[in-house]
């Protein structure tokens, strides 16, 4: 980069930091909005509990204590779908957003070493803004509020620097974050044994996840955790722009798999989505 390019990138970083500080002050002022949001969350949670109770009593929804408990329910089922995170895989770090913080720390180290005023807080601020914008953009385009990790990181780097740096550095930052994910993921107890039994019974096994991670990322994770041999297909909201929570990703799966819904079983951990 030329001295002029660096100068303008520094100015863009400084402007972004000024916006972050401004928004930070404004968010602290509107404490009444935070109380209102908290009340709305509690009300929605109450509705979820009520709906879950009703569906557990009157619909084909069941709560299991361990993964092996689904085996008796697989008779007559041809296709079994598993949620990924907190179902087949568990993270060793909580909350999961801490991984974003570690990724932001790495980005800050990379660019601060080159003389750019990029703090971890600034990177996180732009990341959250960029992710929210991309999700809105997907929805306006007729999809659900879904996006890809590489698109999020590219937009952050574009806003801080320019298109050239964004193209050069996106892959590095994405690969680092995926490696962080892999380091903090473990196979759920009994998952390998269960998948092995299902495959031996001739079942088709797929995974279905609402995530901004991409197909290549999940393939690498399943290979690294020695699960790939059990999984026939991977369906991700980031790849289709459709989520489980709207039902549209499930509809797309039924179409692509040419599956009879009455012969499909899905296992997950979240009532709203699964």
């Amino acid at each position: 980069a030329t001295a002029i390019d660096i100068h303008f990138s520094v100015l863009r970083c400084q402007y972004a930091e000024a916006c972050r500080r401004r928004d930070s002050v404004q968010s602290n002022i509107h404490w009444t909005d935070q109380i209102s949001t908290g009340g709305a969350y509690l009300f929605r949670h109450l509705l979820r509990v009520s709906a879950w109770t009703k569906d557990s009593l009157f619909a084909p929804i069941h709560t299991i204590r361990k993964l092996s408990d689904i085996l008796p329910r697989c008779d007559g089922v041809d296709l079994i779908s598993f949620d990924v995170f907190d179902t087949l895989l568990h993270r060793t770090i909580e909350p999961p957003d801490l991984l974003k913080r570690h990724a932001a720390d790495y980005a800050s180290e990379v660019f601060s070493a080159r003389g750019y005023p990029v703090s971890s807080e600034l990177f996180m601020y732009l990341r959250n803004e960029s992710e929210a914008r991309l999700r809105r953009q997907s929805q306006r385009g007729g999809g659900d509020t879904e996006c890809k990790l590489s698109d999020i990181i590219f937009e952050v780097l574009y806003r801080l620097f320019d298109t050239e740096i964004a193209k050069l550095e996106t892959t590095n930052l994405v690969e680092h974050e995926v490696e962080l994910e892999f380091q903090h993921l473990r196979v759920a107890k009994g998952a390998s044994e269960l998948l092995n039994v299902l495959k031996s019974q001739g079942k088709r096994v797929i995974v279905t996840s609402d995530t901004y991670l991409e197909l290549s990322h999940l393939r690498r994770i399943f290979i690294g955790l020695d699960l790939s041999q059990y999984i026939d297909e991977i369906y991700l909201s980031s790849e289709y722009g459709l989520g489980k929570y709207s039902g549209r990703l499930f509809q797309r799966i039924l179409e692509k798999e040419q599956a009879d819904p009455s012969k499909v079983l899905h296992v997950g951990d979240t009532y709203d989505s699964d």
Side-chain angles (χ1 to χ4, degrees), residues 57-115:
L57 291 172
F58 303 110
I61 293 177
H62 305 278
T63 300
I64 58 175
R65 292 184 177 275
K66 53 185 184 297
L67 283 173
S68 59
D69 289 346
I70 75 164
L71 279 173
R73 305 186 186 279
C74 292
D75 293 338
V77 172
D78 297 329
L79 174 67
I80 302 174
S81 165
F82 289 92
D83 173 50
V84 178
F85 302 104
D86 297 319
T87 300
L88 283 182
L89 306 180
H90 291 299
R91 288 187 175 96
T92 60
I93 186 170
E94 288 293 339
D97 275 3
L98 278 177
L99 288 171
K100 295 182 183 180
R101 172 62 65 180
H102 291 321
D105 291 341
Y106 173 74
S108 176
E109 291 174 8
V110 168
F111 293 108
S112 294
R114 302 177 191 177

Side-chain angles (χ1 to χ4, degrees), residues 128-141 144-146:
N128 291 335
E129 272 204 342
S130 298
E131 181 175 341
R133 193 189 74 80
L134 288 169
R135 290 185 183 279
R136 292 193 300 270
Q137 182 178 314
S138 174
Q139 192 171 39
R140 287 196 299 269
D144 291 331
T145 54
E146 299 300 323

Side-chain angles (χ1 to χ4, degrees), residues 239-266:
E239 299 293 336
Y240 291 93
L242 304 172
K244 292 187 297 180
Y245 50 87
S246 69
R248 297 170 76 185
L249 182 57
F250 287 122
Q251 289 294 331
R252 181 62 58 86
I253 290 170
L254 291 174
E255 292 167 5
K256 292 184 71 67
E257 294 285 336
Q258 297 184 335
D260 177 353
S262 67
K263 295 184 178 181
V264 176
L265 177 68
H266 176 72

Side-chain angles (χ1 to χ4, degrees), residues 71 193-203 205 230:
L71 279 173
E193 295 80 2
L194 170 63
L195 294 175
N196 185 46
V197 171
L198 293 174
K199 293 304 294 178
S200 70
Q201 294 177 350
K203 308 293 186 184
V205 176
Y230 304 122

Side-chain angles (χ1 to χ4, degrees), residues 202-218:
K203 308 293 186 184
R204 182 165 173 81
V205 176
I206 66 173
V207 294
T208 308
S209 181
D210 285 342
T211 178
Y212 52 58
L213 293 178
E214 299 160 44
L215 188 57
S216 62
H217 306 156
L218 267 294

